[in-house]
Amino acid sequence: MTKVKSWRLASVATALAAMLLLAGCGTSKGSTSAAKPQTAAAKTKADKTQAKQDATTLLNYMYQGRASGLSEVTNEDSQDTKTYLMQHYIDKQTDFFKGNGNMDDFYLVLDGSNYYANDIIKDFAKAYVEQTQNIGHYQITKLKTSGNNAEVTASFTPIAALSEAHPIGEARTSAFGGLDNDTLIRESQNKDVKSIQRLITLKLYSVYYGDMAKTAEKAPEKTSVTFSMTKKGSHYMVDHDTLDMIEQHGRVDKYAASDSSSSAE
């Protein structure tokens, strides 16, 4: 009986040793396979695929207002990105009014309440950026990668900037209850007429394109924008200067094809 048990124990030990040996061999083979380097062609293809995906994420936000995955290419959420884009326009308008006096002296009186320049400018900037995000369709026409850099070209139909302000008078009743400019200027108690007129235009813009959700007309032909992205980690990213450039390419100094005043220019 003792011999039989010893034989069985020896068999079990032998089988266990064989299993461990086989397991060790399998791990070795797997390691050798995983260590195989990626070919240059495969890496280039993978980089281009990733760069196109990240460029699409960016343009989806800039020209369509779709925020999914945006933080992977800007390192900030959509609200922070919008706030940054708005700031460019806020600064530009603020500089204009500061150059003509104290910001707190510029306001519109509506229904007995004062609407100050700072708030009107912010509403304008928000509506202005959101109009760019209404551009819609675009197409990535060229993409090349080199090292950690990618260069992307996209085509789209931009906003016709020279026609953008023409229809905002339609917002006058909604914004001012039908009050004319002279009344608004007089009630503002500010002698800088041009500054108050600009404030009226900014207010009308934010009501027409913001509150009334109207869409600006497009230029007669397409344009293109080329920008660079830099790979950081697993994604291609852009900096604030690139965001500004893409935003500003959303408009061209042209009239819309349907704008009758274009023929008079």
Side-chain angles (χ1 to χ4, degrees):
M1 183 69 87
T2 302
K3 288 182 179 180
V4 172
K5 286 182 178 179
S6 297
W7 178 82
R8 285 179 178 170
L9 288 172
S11 297
V12 171
T14 301
L16 184 59
M19 287 173 65
L20 290 172
L21 180 62
L22 288 171
C25 291
T27 301
S28 177
K29 287 180 179 177
S31 298
T32 302
S33 176
K36 263 180 135 181
Q38 190 180 32
T39 65
K43 184 179 184 305
T44 298
K45 183 177 180 180
D47 285 345
K48 283 188 174 181
T49 298
Q50 187 62 56
K52 186 172 184 178
Q53 178 182 315
D54 291 332
T56 298
T57 296
L58 178 64
L59 293 170
N60 280 351
Y61 178 75
M62 297 299 295
Y63 293 153
Q64 296 182 358
R66 295 159 55 190
S68 178
L70 182 67
S71 62
E72 294 174 342
V73 297
T74 63
N75 201 34
E76 58 190 18
D77 64 27
S78 60
Q79 187 54 56
D80 287 340
T81 301
K82 178 179 275 188
T83 298
Y84 172 76
L85 293 170
M86 286 170 54
Q87 196 62 48
H88 172 82
Y89 302 111
I90 290 172
D91 290 344
K92 184 176 180 179
Q93 296 299 331
T94 298
D95 287 346
F96 171 83
F97 286 100
K98 281 184 175 179
N100 294 321
N102 189 325
M103 284 289 289
D104 291 337
D105 290 338
F106 298 109
Y107 57 86
L108 300 178
V109 180
L110 301 170
D111 295 328
S113 298
N114 293 350
Y115 290 79
Y116 287 91
N118 280 323
D119 295 325
I120 292 174
I121 289 169
K122 287 177 184 176
D123 289 342
F124 158 76
K126 180 175 182 289
Y128 200 78
V129 168
E130 287 176 351
Q131 275 306 297
T132 311
Q133 293 179 320
N134 276 332
I135 283 174
H137 178 73
Y138 67 85
Q139 182 179 9
I140 294 175
T141 57
K142 187 177 179 182
L143 188 151
K144 62 180 181 180
T145 59
S146 177
N148 288 326
N149 298 315
E151 185 175 271
V152 183
T153 299
S155 68
F156 58 94
T157 305
I159 293 169
L162 297 182
S163 295
E164 193 171 7
H166 285 180
I168 64 174
E170 295 176 27
R172 179 174 293 277
T173 299
S174 177
F176 305 141
L179 294 176
D180 58 27
N181 280 13
D182 289 342
T183 301
L184 290 166
I185 291 169
R186 185 172 61 253
E187 292 189 355
S188 73
Q189 299 179 10
N190 190 292
K191 294 180 180 180
D192 190 339
V193 175
K194 288 185 178 180
S195 292
I196 298 303
Q197 287 177 330
R198 175 175 285 210
L199 206 57
I200 290 170
T201 299
L202 296 178
K203 180 65 176 175
L204 287 173
Y205 186 101
S206 68
V207 171
Y208 187 77
Y209 290 114
D211 299 343
M212 296 173 67
K214 300 293 186 178
T215 301
E217 291 193 73
K218 303 291 183 61
E221 61 276 319
K222 290 185 176 183
T223 188
S224 63
V225 59
T226 298
F227 57 94
S228 297
M229 307 184 78
T230 302
K231 193 171 188 181
K232 298 177 181 179
S234 57
H235 289 279
Y236 286 85
M237 307 184 74
V238 292
D239 57 20
H240 277 171
D241 288 343
T242 302
L243 290 174
D244 275 336
M245 187 266 290
I246 295 172
E247 158 71 26
Q248 289 168 39
H249 268 72
R251 286 170 174 81
V252 291
D253 289 334
K254 294 184 178 181
Y255 289 101
S258 61
D259 194 333
S260 60
S261 66
S262 62
S263 60
E265 294 295 315

